Amino acid sequence: MKSRRNVLLKQAQKIDCDILVCFEPENLFYLTGFWGEAIGVLERNGSTTIIAPELEVSRAHEDSIDCEVVTSERGTGLLTSLLTKINGKKVCTDCQNYDMMQILKKSLPKIRHSTEPFYRAREIKDDSEIKILRKASRILDDMYEVCTTKITKGLRESELQTKLMSFAMEQDMFATGYRSTLNPLIIAGGPNGALPHAQVTDRKFMSGDMIVVDLTLRYKGYVSDATRTFGLGRISDQAKEVYEIVKESQKLGLAAVKPNVSCKSVDDACRDHIEMNSYGKYFIHSTGHGIGLEVHEFPTISQKSTSFLQKNMAITVEPGIYIPNRFGIRIEDSVIVQQRPTIMHKFTKDLLIL
C-alpha cells in the first residue's frame, strides 16, 4: 500500500497538489484497501485518513491498511470533517457530486477536480493486482468450459446467463455494476450478436447461430474481461470465414503488445487485417481498453489513441466483425503488457461448434 501511495503522491505533484481526496469507491479501495461509503485523504507526507459514517467505521477499521479512521455524520457531516483536515492546502479531488463540490469550493476556492492522478497511478499494476487478475481470468476460462456443456438448441440467452452467474458467484466472482448495461454479461445469439453491447434477451438459441459470450466480472475488486464466440449446429461458410479473420486479427494484435509501443499500433495490427479481408466497415469499435478496478480504464487501444503501452499495464485486445441482422464474432483476452505479453486466458480460440 505504501508504494501505491507514493505513486499517487507523484501524480499529485505533477498537478501541484498537496492533498488527494477521493470519494469514488475504486479510488478509495486503491488508496486504503477499504471499499465503501467514505472519503479518503492522502497527505503529502503519506499519512492516510478515512472519514466514514458510523455505519461504515467497523469495516473501515477491519479492511483498511495503515489508515487513521475518523467517524463522522453521514452526508454533509463528512464534508465538515474533511474541511477541518484539509483547510488552507492545495487539494485535488475526484468528487463527482455537484452539490458537494459547491460546498467544498466555498471553503477551498482553489480546489481542483481531476481524476488524472488516480487513473494514472492505477494504470500500472503491481504484483498483487496482477495475481488477482490472473485468478479472475482463470475463473472466466472455467465459465467458458461451462458454456461448452450448457449451450444447446432451445436454451434462452437469459437461461445461460443465470447458469454462468450462479457458477461465478460460487467462485466469489460478481457483476461489475457497469452502468451502461442492465445485465452482468453479454450473451448474444444469431442476429443479436451483431450488437457489440447487446442486452441479454429471452431469445432461444437456434442451429446456425454464432453465439457471443462476453464475460466481464469482478474478483476481489478487480475486473477481468474476455469474449469467446461459439457456433451452434450447422453454421454458414461466411460465419466460418469471418471467425478465422477475427481470430487472426486478434493474434496479430496480441503479437503487437509490448512495452513502449503505441496503443494505436495494436489497433492498427487488428484493423489492418480485417480491412485487408474486406470487412473493415464491420469492425465498429476500438480494439481494447485498460482494465483494473473498473471495466474501462486507461489506456485506450484505438485509432485515435496517443498513448504508449508500459510494462505491467492490463489491457484487452478484442477485435470483432458485426454483420447487421445476421451475426457477430468477437474474440477477446485480458493481457498484462510485458516484453512477451501475458495472455491471461487459456480457453481455446479455435472455433467450437457445439
Side-chain angles (χ1 to χ4, degrees):
M1 197 61 70
K2 183 178 179 180
S3 62
R4 293 187 189 181
R5 291 169 187 166
N6 288 337
V7 173
L8 282 164
L9 288 170
K10 288 179 181 177
Q11 294 296 331
Q13 289 168 10
K14 289 181 180 179
I15 59 172
D16 192 29
C17 284
D18 296 318
I19 291 181
L20 286 177
V21 176
C22 56
F23 288 73
E24 294 301 305
E26 295 87 357
N27 294 329
L28 179 68
F29 180 80
Y30 185 80
L31 172 64
T32 69
F34 167 66
W35 192 301
E37 178 190 340
I39 301 171
V41 181
L42 175 63
E43 299 181 64
R44 179 165 283 183
N45 63 5
S47 65
T48 306
T49 304
I50 296 173
I51 303 171
E54 190 170 358
L55 78 167
E56 292 279 47
V57 165
S58 294
R59 281 202 314 118
H61 275 295
E62 184 176 339
D63 295 346
S64 65
I65 300 170
D66 297 330
C67 295
E68 177 190 3
V69 179
V70 174
T71 306
S72 183
E73 292 186 18
R74 205 172 187 184
T76 55
L78 295 174
L79 295 185
T80 301
S81 298
L82 173 65
L83 288 168
T84 300
K85 190 165 189 64
I86 65 175
N87 201 16
K89 298 178 182 177
K90 291 181 286 187
V91 178
C92 174
T93 181
D94 66 352
C95 179
Q96 298 186 43
N97 183 290
Y98 177 82
D99 292 333
M100 285 188 173
M101 277 301 297
Q102 296 312 302
I103 293 170
L104 290 172
K105 285 179 177 179
K106 286 180 181 178
S107 298
L108 301 167
K110 294 183 179 179
I111 191 171
R112 298 181 59 179
H113 174 270
S114 176
T115 57
E116 191 80 1
F118 303 100
Y119 277 118
R120 291 303 176 190
R122 285 164 43 192
E123 270 189 306
I124 309 299
K125 272 51 182 183
D126 60 33
D127 290 345
S128 64
E129 292 176 297
I130 291 172
K131 183 177 180 180
I132 293 170
L133 285 167
R134 290 177 71 119
K135 173 62 176 177
S137 299
R138 289 196 294 272
I139 297 172
L140 296 193
D141 283 351
D142 291 341
M143 292 173 71
Y144 285 119
E145 293 291 351
V146 172
C147 287
T148 65
T149 62
K150 299 299 183 182
I151 292 177
T152 55
K153 288 189 293 184
L155 185 74
R156 299 181 187 275
E157 293 172 354
S158 56
E159 290 173 331
L160 179 59
Q161 177 171 251
T162 299
K163 295 176 189 295
L164 290 173
M165 286 305 300
S166 177
F167 180 90
M169 293 173 72
E170 289 172 358
Q171 314 304 314
D172 294 327
M173 204 167 200
F174 301 94
T176 63
Y178 188 52
R179 295 181 65 189
S180 294
T181 180
L182 296 171
N183 296 278
L185 308 178
I186 295 173
I187 298 171
N192 290 347
L195 306 172
H197 286 171
Q199 298 292 318
V200 174
T201 72
D202 286 333
R203 181 185 180 275
K204 294 180 179 180
F205 298 135
M206 302 168 57
S207 180
D209 278 353
M210 299 301 293
I211 301 168
V212 178
V213 180
D214 186 330
L215 306 179
T216 308
L217 294 168
R218 190 185 301 279
Y219 177 74
K220 294 188 176 179
Y222 287 84
V223 175
S224 183
D225 193 0
T227 307
R228 295 292 186 266
T229 304
F230 301 91
L232 181 61
R234 298 186 63 178
I235 65 172
S236 68
D237 290 340
Q238 185 188 26
K240 292 177 183 177
E241 175 194 35
V242 169
Y243 189 95
E244 294 305 319
I245 293 169
V246 173
K247 179 183 171 185
E248 182 64 19
S249 167
Q250 206 240 5
K251 180 180 178 181
L252 292 167
L254 291 170
V257 172
K258 288 181 177 61
N260 304 316
V261 306
S262 70
C263 295
K264 181 180 182 301
S265 68
V266 178
D267 186 277
D268 288 343
C270 291
R271 198 170 303 277
D272 289 351
H273 181 75
I274 290 174
E275 289 179 349
M276 182 178 69
N277 283 276
S278 303
Y279 283 95
K281 70 178 182 178
Y282 300 111
F283 182 11
I284 56 177
H285 55 71
S286 61
T287 287
H289 53 85
I291 55 168
L293 292 170
E294 295 179 69
V295 178
H296 293 108
E297 297 194 353
F298 289 151
T300 299
I301 315 300
S302 73
Q303 291 176 295
K304 296 181 180 179
S305 177
T306 57
S307 300
F308 285 76
L309 296 177
Q310 299 178 57
K311 184 179 178 182
N312 290 343
M313 283 181 168
I315 65 169
T316 67
V317 177
E318 49 180 304
I321 293 175
Y322 308 91
I323 311 298
N325 303 313
R326 298 188 62 190
F327 64 84
I329 294 169
R330 181 165 66 254
I331 302 173
E332 173 187 17
D333 288 305
S334 294
V335 183
I336 302 297
V337 178
Q338 293 168 338
Q339 197 58 42
R340 294 185 63 184
T342 299
I343 302 167
M344 290 189 286
H345 302 280
K346 306 304 179 187
F347 188 84
T348 185
K349 286 174 273 192
D350 292 339
L351 174 57
L352 296 183
I353 301 177
L354 306 176

